[in-house]
Amino acid sequence: AQTVTQSQPEMSVQEAETVTLSCTYDTSENNYYLFWYKQPPSRQMILVIRQEAYKQQNATENRFSVNFQKAAKSFSLKISDSQLGDTAMYFCAFLLYGGSQGNLIFGKGTKLSVKP
Amino acid sequence: SAVISQKPSRDICQRGTSLTIQCQVDSQVTMMFWYRQQPGQSLTLIATANQGSEATYESGFVIDKFPISRPNLTFSTLTVSNMSPEDSSIYLCSVEGMGRDGYTFGSGTRLTVV
C-alpha cells in the first residue's frame, strides 16, 4: 500500500521569502502522479502543482516548484516570493497511474503561515 | 477541468438527525468521490460513487451510516445518518481529472453536530 508523509505539521515564512515544504512517499509502483494541493480557510482544495513520475524534469508553476527525487521518494514544494495569500494548509498527494481505485492518497498536511 | 457545486456549505445539526450533501458537476464524470476531513486532519476517502451501481465504501465506512446516491453522471449525494458529535467534519466531493490534471474538489460542507 502507498503512504504519504509530511513531517512538518506547521511552518511559517516572512512575506517575500522562500519556503520549502517536505513530502516523502512509499510505493513499489513505477508509474504514478504526485500533487500538491492548497486548502485555504475557505476549505476549497486547490491544485497547486503536479508531477508525473516518469518525468525527470521538476514541475514549475510560477512561484511554485517541486524537487522530485524519485529514487529517494521525495517530493518537496518550494514557494518563492511568499505572499500573504499563500497562507493555507498544503497537502501532498499520490495517485497511481491507471489505478483501478482511482483515488488520491493524502499526507497529513502542513499548515503554512506567511507573516507580513 | 470540471467545476463542482457543493451544498450546503455549512450546517449545524442536532444529534440523531441526518444531513444530505449534494454535488453537481458541470460535465459528465464516471466516478465521484466523497471525502471526510476531521478537524485538523487530512482527507480520508469515504466511498467511490459510480453511476448505475452501488457505491464502494472504504474500510471503516458503511452504507447505513453514509448512504450515497448517484442517479446520473453529473450528480451525487452523500447522507450522514443518525449524526453524533463525532461526525462533525468537513465533507468534500471530488471528481477525477484526466490523469495529470489531478482531482477537482467541491468547496466542502462544514458540518457541526450538537
Side-chain angles (χ1 to χ4, degrees), chain B residues 39-103:
Chain B
Q41 301 296 314
S42 186
L43 281 71
T44 300
L45 183 66
I46 298 172
T48 301
N50 289 323
Q51 194 270 334
S53 64
E54 291 282 336
T56 303
Y57 289 82
E58 299 299 307
S59 176
F61 298 97
V62 295
I63 187 171
D64 290 346
K65 176 66 176 177
F66 298 101
I68 286 171
S69 78
R70 185 80 204 276
N72 57 54
L73 290 172
T74 63
F75 187 78
S76 180
T77 67
L78 169 77
T79 299
V80 186
S81 303
N82 188 25
M83 289 183 285
S84 66
E86 291 71 34
D87 295 319
S88 297
S89 294
I90 295 170
Y91 293 85
L92 300 106
C93 63
S94 75
V95 300
E96 190 174 7
M98 298 298 289
R100 67 182 300 271
D101 289 342
Y103 280 42

Side-chain angles (χ1 to χ4, degrees), chain A residues 20-87:
Chain A
T20 298
L21 308 183
S22 300
C23 173
T24 59
Y25 59 95
D26 188 26
T27 183
S28 58
E29 302 292 333
N30 198 45
N31 295 320
Y32 49 87
Y33 301 97
L34 295 162
F35 305 91
W36 278 98
Y37 280 89
K38 168 185 176 180
Q39 188 181 41
S42 66
R43 306 187 305 274
Q44 182 79 49
M45 291 286 285
I46 302 166
L47 178 64
V48 175
I49 200 166
R50 56 187 168 248
Q51 174 82 41
E52 293 95 327
Y54 67 87
K55 288 188 176 180
Q56 292 187 332
Q57 186 174 4
N58 290 324
T60 299
E61 291 285 344
N62 300 313
R63 297 184 294 108
F64 299 88
S65 62
V66 298
N67 183 6
F68 174 49
Q69 301 290 328
K70 191 173 184 180
K73 297 179 183 175
S74 171
F75 183 61
S76 60
L77 175 69
K78 185 171 81 171
I79 305 174
S80 304
D81 186 25
S82 298
Q83 300 175 0
L84 296 178
D86 295 332
T87 293

Side-chain angles (χ1 to χ4, degrees), chain B residues 3-56:
Chain B
V3 175
I4 302 175
S5 174
Q6 181 174 345
K7 51 185 175 182
S9 60
R10 61 177 63 224
D11 208 341
I12 301 173
C13 300
Q14 297 290 324
R15 67 174 67 202
T17 63
S18 298
L19 176 72
T20 295
I21 302 167
Q22 300 179 1
C23 275
Q24 178 75 51
V25 189
D26 68 344
S27 59
Q28 294 184 338
V29 294
T30 304
M31 292 191 289
M32 293 182 71
F33 305 90
W34 288 98
Y35 287 86
R36 181 176 73 181
Q37 186 180 21
Q38 293 177 300
Q41 301 296 314
S42 186
L43 281 71
T44 300
L45 183 66
I46 298 172
T48 301
N50 289 323
Q51 194 270 334
S53 64
E54 291 282 336
T56 303

